[in-house]
Amino acid sequence: MTEEISKHYREILTGLGENPDREGLRDTPMRAAKAMQYLCNGYEKDLDTIVNNALFESESDEMVIVRDIELYSLCEHHLLPFIGKAHVAYIPTGKVIGLSKVARIVDMFARRLQIQENLTRQIADAVQQVTGAAGVAVVIEAKHMCMMMRGVEKQNSVMTSSAMLGVFRSSGTTRQEFLQLIRSH
């Protein structure tokens, strides 16, 4: 598969008017193919493997937040990066998930061609599915290169998206507590 993707990158370079045989570009198609496969490795991952049974009994029913999880994704419209951070919270109902698993869930979905709105919801749904939580909240803040490098070229714009499930949707107080806690850093 890498070889096939590499051939397409070579054609793209030629289509741009470049000489893919010149010294600086000779290995670029293969490097670009490997980079794209790495940046999209979320397609090779599944939730069960990532979580790997890292669910633990807990009597806690208080909000758990993992804040500032860096994420790197590719906009499915322009294949340009968007870079930011995710804040993920859930309210356990007898089980908590291993801390690193939350970050791995974020990465699994971020390492696919995405739009931020869908990414936010996919993370929330996955955490809900795994934990059976009373509620899950996800907020993502990201800068999009498709908006910064082309088009309107707005360098300081940040997109914020949220997904609120369960008590985070039904209880304004719970939602407000979450939003205050992620802003208080």
Side-chain angles (χ1 to χ4, degrees), residues 147-158:
M147 190 160 164
M148 296 170 69
M149 295 175 66
R150 54 161 302 285
V152 296
E153 296 184 41
K154 298 301 177 204
Q155 303 309 305
N156 296 308
S157 60
V158 176

Side-chain angles (χ1 to χ4, degrees), residues 33-163:
K34 288 177 181 176
M36 187 58 81
Q37 286 178 307
Y38 178 78
L39 294 173
C40 293
N41 69 17
Y43 293 114
E44 301 167 4
K45 298 183 174 155
D46 69 88
L47 196 53
D48 290 336
T49 304
I50 283 181
V51 173
N52 195 27
N53 296 316
L55 284 171
F56 308 101
E57 300 280 331
S58 174
E59 293 180 21
S60 174
D61 61 356
E62 298 295 330
M63 190 181 306
V64 175
I65 302 175
V66 185
R67 195 174 71 195
D68 297 328
I69 303 167
E70 68 270 4
L71 66 86
Y72 307 92
S73 194
L74 291 173
C75 163
E76 68 184 34
H77 299 142
H78 300 99
L79 301 183
L80 290 173
F82 63 94
I83 300 164
K85 57 188 174 181
H87 313 289
V88 179
Y90 69 99
I91 297 181
T93 55
K95 293 193 183 289
V96 294
I97 187 172
L99 178 62
S100 70
K101 304 308 182 184
V102 175
R104 291 180 193 280
I105 290 169
V106 170
D107 284 346
M108 178 179 77
F109 291 110
R111 295 296 184 162
R112 299 175 182 187
L113 301 179
Q114 282 287 8
I115 63 171
Q116 184 175 326
E117 299 90 336
N118 291 347
L119 173 60
T120 307
R121 184 59 190 243
Q122 290 166 352
I123 294 166
D125 288 343
V127 172
Q128 177 66 48
Q129 178 185 332
V130 168
T131 63
V136 176
V138 176
V139 169
I140 295 179
E141 303 166 291
K143 290 190 167 207
H144 291 250
M145 296 303 125
C146 57
M147 190 160 164
M148 296 170 69
M149 295 175 66
R150 54 161 302 285
V152 296
E153 296 184 41
K154 298 301 177 204
Q155 303 309 305
N156 296 308
S157 60
V158 176
M159 179 178 173
T160 302
S161 56
S162 70

